[in-house]
């Protein structure tokens, strides 16, 4: 009960401060617009320059459209708001620390030239997809051991088992952390491991965990000997950097094994409680040299917030050398560079597919580039299927997701809703050859605003496991017909307006 009061109290404080700030900004704007004509004229001229700059330089105009509309409708306050947000983006200490640490971390990602040569010789068609990720700084490794667990229920016990084996360290980075059966079992192991001299670090996103743990939960963990970071703490002040959340799911143990997938650390993810019907998600376990990339992803964000590691190499573990089985590329997505890595991985798979692409995503809020890419694949004769939830976690987001059905179905894309509950997995699988599993939703936030991570898999047996999971999930789905996808006029008009704000939802 005390935790609930702390959480609600924090949300209330944030809301009150935000309302006060909005009132102050409105008062200041009203004053200057009413008494300084020349400032108004200057801002109107500046608004034109800003609009032209957005149109010319935007990498994802659909998500920037909201700024265009605000500035066109309200040139003076809209331009001031854009300038305030832009100034914050330029001066944010959090942003600069992450950018700086990311640059330093690049030296730790080293590509074995023999591996990429193998890929190029074995599969010239997909070698380009691998080369793209290498060009973004993410090496390709021989896959020596990758397990795919089609439910959080199945993967969670394996996570606990591996945590109990830890000898040196356990590093964890998750979007949501919530006290309950799942997290409490992990916390118990972490506390025991601290007593054994194992270094334990936990990083969770402050916004993602705003309603699940108290504001000072990092101190609670620190008193137990667990190093803790609350990523990008929420501020009630107008702050564009607050939009950039850490949506990654990574656990690395001793540099020996890593876990990722779609599962957060809360009970609905392992179906210990029911919130939105059956929760369909996944966990992957990785062993071998590829664990190093997950470790570097974790250490980059950790040291951007809590600088303490001058040399990542001290955490390198002895990679388990299993039988070579295809290739694997762990990759990250950052909103602080000019590259849309997560989206480009998805589009590369779609563009190179010959027979089929199956997709699972909890949200479907996409721009014209992705819409056209999905439809083009279908028109090339590729069998494109997308699985979305049958029971929503957020009704307004569910409505926006459904608003995209008609154009996709008319374009030849098949849409399936998971009847038993909520699909939270983020999966692409194509042609029995390639798959990617990770944290990147098909929505604006994941594709453009959040820190994400994924695992690209090529010519490995585990691709068949991913395919089997998608096919079994599809059996429990209802395929949406064209007639069902057509919205009533008022509903369609409503969601046409709401979609303008989709990048902020």
């Amino acid at each position: 009960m005390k935790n609930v009061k702390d959480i609600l109290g924090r949300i209330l404080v944030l809301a009150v401060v935000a309302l006060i700030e909005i009132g102050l900004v409105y008062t200041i704007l009203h004053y200057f617009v009413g008494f300084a004509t020349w400032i108004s004229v200057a801002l109107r001229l500046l608004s034109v320059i800003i609009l032209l700059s957005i149109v010319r330089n935007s990498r994802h105009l659909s998500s920037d459209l909201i700024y265009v509309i605000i500035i066109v409708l309200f040139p003076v306050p809209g331009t001031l708001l854009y300038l305030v947000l832009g100034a914050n983006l330029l001066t944010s200490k959090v942003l600069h620390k992450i950018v700086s640490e990311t640059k330093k971390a690049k030296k730790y990602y080293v590509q074995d030239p023999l591996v990429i040569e193998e890929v190029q010789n074995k599969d010239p068609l997909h070698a380009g997809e691998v080369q793209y990720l290498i060009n973004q700084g993410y090496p390709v490794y021989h896959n020596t051991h990758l397990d795919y667990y089609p439910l959080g229920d199945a993967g969670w016990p394996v996570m606990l088992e591996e945590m109990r084996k830890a000898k040196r360290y356990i590093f964890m980075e998750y979007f949501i952390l919530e006290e309950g059966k799942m997290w409490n079992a992990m916390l118990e192991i972490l506390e025991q491991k601290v007593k054994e001299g194992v270094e334990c670090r936990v990083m969770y996103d402050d916004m993602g965990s705003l309603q699940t743990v108290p504001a000072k939960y990092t101190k609670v963990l620190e008193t137990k000997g667990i190093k803790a970071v609350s990523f990008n703490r929420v501020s009630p002040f107008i702050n564009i950097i607050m939009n950039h959340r850490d949506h990654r799911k990574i656990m690395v143990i001793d540099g020996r094994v890593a876990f990722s997938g779609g599962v957060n650390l809360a009970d609905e993810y392992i179906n210990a409680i029911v919130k939105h019907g059956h929760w369909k998600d996944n966990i992957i376990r990785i062993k071998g040299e590829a664990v190093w990339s997950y470790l570097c992803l974790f250490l980059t964000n950790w040291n951007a917030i809590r600088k303490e590691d001058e040399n990542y190499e001290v955490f390198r573990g002895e990679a388990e050398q299993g039988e070579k089985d295809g290739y694997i590329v762990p990759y990250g997505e950052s909103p602080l560079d000019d590259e849309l890595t997560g989206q480009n991985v998805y589009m590369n798979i779609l563009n190179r597919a010959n027979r089929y692409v199956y997709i699972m995503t909890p949200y479907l809020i996409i721009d014209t580039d992705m819409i056209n890419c999905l439809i083009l694949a279908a028109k090339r004769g590729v069998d494109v299927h997308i699985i979305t939830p049958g029971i929503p976690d957020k009704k307004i987001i569910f409505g926006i997701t459904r608003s995209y059905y008609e154009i996709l179905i008319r374009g030849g894309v098949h849409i399936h809703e998971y009847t038993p509950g909520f699909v939270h997995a983020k999966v692409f699988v194509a042609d029995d050859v390639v798959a990617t599993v990770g944290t990147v939703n098909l929505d604006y936030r994941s594709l453009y605003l959040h820190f994400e991570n994924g695992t690209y898999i090529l010519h490995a047996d585990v691709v068949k496991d991913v395919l089997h999971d998608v096919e079994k999930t599809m059996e429990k789905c209802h395929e949406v017909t064209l007639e069902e996808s057509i919205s009533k006029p008022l509903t369609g008009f409503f969601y046409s307006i709401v979609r303008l704000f989709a990048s902020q939802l």
Side-chain angles (χ1 to χ4, degrees):
M1 182 61 70
K2 182 177 183 296
N3 285 352
V4 173
K5 290 182 178 178
D6 290 341
I7 292 165
L8 292 177
R10 186 183 182 201
I11 294 174
L12 180 61
V13 169
L14 291 171
V16 170
V17 174
L19 287 173
I20 292 173
E21 185 184 11
I22 291 171
L24 289 173
V25 171
Y26 176 81
T27 302
I28 293 170
L29 289 176
H30 181 76
Y31 175 83
F32 279 110
V33 171
F35 296 97
T37 303
W38 65 271
I39 292 179
S40 177
V41 172
L43 287 173
R44 289 175 185 275
L45 291 174
L46 184 58
S47 71
V48 175
I49 296 173
I50 290 173
L51 288 175
L52 293 175
S53 176
I54 291 174
V55 171
R56 179 180 179 183
N57 300 312
S58 176
R59 295 291 304 278
H60 36 90
L61 189 56
S62 297
S63 64
D64 290 331
L65 189 60
I66 183 61
Y67 294 116
V68 173
I69 293 172
I70 290 174
I71 292 173
V72 168
L73 294 178
F74 312 102
V76 175
T79 301
L80 275 174
L81 177 65
Y82 188 87
L83 291 174
V84 169
L85 294 175
N88 177 263
L89 194 63
L90 291 172
T91 59
S92 168
K93 291 182 179 179
V94 172
L95 183 156
H96 286 293
K97 287 179 179 179
I98 295 173
V99 170
S100 176
E101 192 64 30
T102 301
K103 289 179 179 178
K104 292 179 182 177
K106 285 184 177 181
K107 65 183 179 183
Y108 294 109
Y109 296 95
V110 180
Q111 178 62 60
D112 181 345
L114 295 179
V115 179
I116 183 57
E117 185 178 342
E118 280 186 31
V119 176
Q120 291 168 343
N121 291 333
K122 181 179 179 65
D123 188 347
L125 176 65
H126 292 95
E129 298 176 29
V130 174
Q131 187 62 57
Y132 168 75
L133 286 168
I134 292 172
N135 291 343
Q136 305 319 308
Y138 302 110
V140 56
Y141 304 91
H142 286 120
N143 172 44
T144 54
H145 193 103
L146 195 156
D147 295 305
Y148 178 84
Y149 302 95
L151 288 173
D153 324 19
W156 174 59
V158 182
M159 296 173 77
L160 297 180
E161 178 185 350
E162 294 288 1
M163 290 175 71
R164 294 188 186 102
K165 297 177 184 177
K167 302 296 183 184
R168 296 174 57 204
Y169 60 81
I170 301 173
F171 295 163
M172 307 175 72
E173 177 179 4
Y174 285 85
F175 181 60
I176 296 174
L177 187 157
E178 182 175 15
E179 293 183 327
K181 178 180 179 180
M182 184 182 192
W183 170 242
N184 291 348
M186 291 178 155
L187 182 59
E188 183 179 343
I189 294 173
L190 291 174
E191 290 182 75
Q192 178 59 39
K193 287 298 171 181
V194 167
K195 295 175 182 177
E196 296 173 10
V198 174
E199 182 176 1
C200 297
R201 301 183 185 182
V202 173
M203 177 162 50
Y204 60 89
D205 186 81
D206 196 52
M207 178 70 79
S209 303
L210 183 66
Q211 300 180 57
T212 58
V213 294
K216 297 181 180 179
Y217 194 66
T218 53
K219 293 184 178 179
V220 174
L221 295 177
E222 292 279 353
T223 60
K224 300 176 183 294
I226 301 166
K227 295 181 179 180
V229 163
S230 178
F231 185 89
N232 198 9
R233 286 188 62 80
V234 176
S235 167
F237 300 102
I238 295 176
N239 193 336
I240 198 170
I241 194 65
M242 286 297 105
N243 250 346
H244 301 317
R245 309 314 316 175
D246 186 357
H247 195 241
R248 293 175 178 172
K249 286 90 178 173
I250 295 173
M251 178 162 67
V252 183
I253 301 170
D254 294 347
R256 176 185 58 81
V257 61
F259 288 90
S260 190
V263 169
N264 282 300
L265 308 184
D267 283 357
E268 65 265 33
Y269 293 87
I270 59 170
N271 288 294
I273 59 173
V274 177
K275 285 190 174 182
H276 312 290
H278 183 259
W279 196 279
K280 174 71 187 76
D281 216 328
N282 57 44
I283 292 173
I284 57 173
R285 175 175 64 176
I286 306 94
K287 295 182 179 180
E289 294 179 346
V291 172
W292 176 248
S293 285
Y294 297 95
L295 177 62
C296 290
L297 284 170
F298 171 85
L299 290 173
T300 299
N301 273 1
W302 178 274
N303 283 283
I305 307 300
R306 178 170 169 166
K307 182 66 178 177
E308 58 181 313
D309 303 313
E310 292 298 328
N311 182 9
Y312 293 4
E313 290 286 348
V314 299
F315 297 107
R316 189 184 286 274
E318 185 175 346
E320 293 188 11
Q321 300 300 325
E323 183 178 352
K324 295 178 182 178
D325 175 30
Y327 307 92
I328 178 174
V329 189
Y331 61 92
E333 169 66 87
S334 169
L336 305 181
D337 57 28
D338 295 327
E339 200 63 37
L340 306 177
T341 307
Q343 175 170 285
N344 289 340
V345 168
Y346 288 164
M347 293 178 73
N348 278 339
I349 292 174
L350 284 163
N351 288 334
R352 284 175 171 78
N354 288 316
R355 295 188 292 114
Y356 73 83
V357 178
Y358 296 160
I359 300 165
M360 288 197 288
T361 180
Y363 313 114
L364 188 63
I365 306 174
I366 48 181
D367 65 8
T368 52
D369 287 345
M370 183 60 74
I371 292 171
N372 292 334
C373 191
L374 288 161
I375 291 175
L376 177 59
K379 288 183 176 180
R380 286 194 293 108
V382 178
D383 199 19
V384 181
H385 292 256
I386 303 175
I387 298 175
T388 61
I391 299 176
D393 66 335
K394 306 176 186 71
K395 289 188 177 180
I396 187 69
I397 302 299
F398 189 54
I400 299 174
T401 288
R402 282 182 159 179
S403 74
Y404 287 88
Y405 287 0
E406 182 181 353
I407 188 172
L408 291 173
I409 292 173
R410 288 188 184 277
V413 177
H414 300 272
I415 307 291
H416 307 260
E417 290 186 344
Y418 181 62
T419 306
F422 188 75
V423 169
H424 192 256
K426 309 94 167 51
V427 167
F428 272 55
V429 60
D431 294 347
D432 301 346
V433 172
V434 61
T436 183
V437 179
T439 70
V440 186
N441 301 317
L442 275 177
D443 68 5
Y444 285 106
R445 289 205 153 271
S446 274
L447 296 173
Y448 307 135
L449 298 177
H450 287 169
F451 294 89
E452 306 278 358
N453 73 280
T455 305
Y456 177 92
I457 311 160
L458 180 65
H459 288 296
D461 285 343
V462 73
V463 173
K464 297 177 185 177
D465 297 332
V466 179
L467 172 61
H468 179 71
D469 178 35
V470 176
E471 289 177 334
K472 295 299 288 185
T473 302
M474 209 177 297
E475 292 175 2
K476 301 174 183 176
C477 291
H478 164 70
E479 182 168 359
V480 181
T481 65
L482 177 60
E483 290 73 19
E484 291 170 331
S485 72
I486 299 173
S487 302
K488 295 179 181 178
L490 286 178
T491 303
F493 178 73
F494 171 75
Y495 281 110
S496 295
I497 296 174
V498 173
R499 274 165 58 166
L500 295 175
F501 301 89
S503 62
Q504 305 304 313
L505 295 176

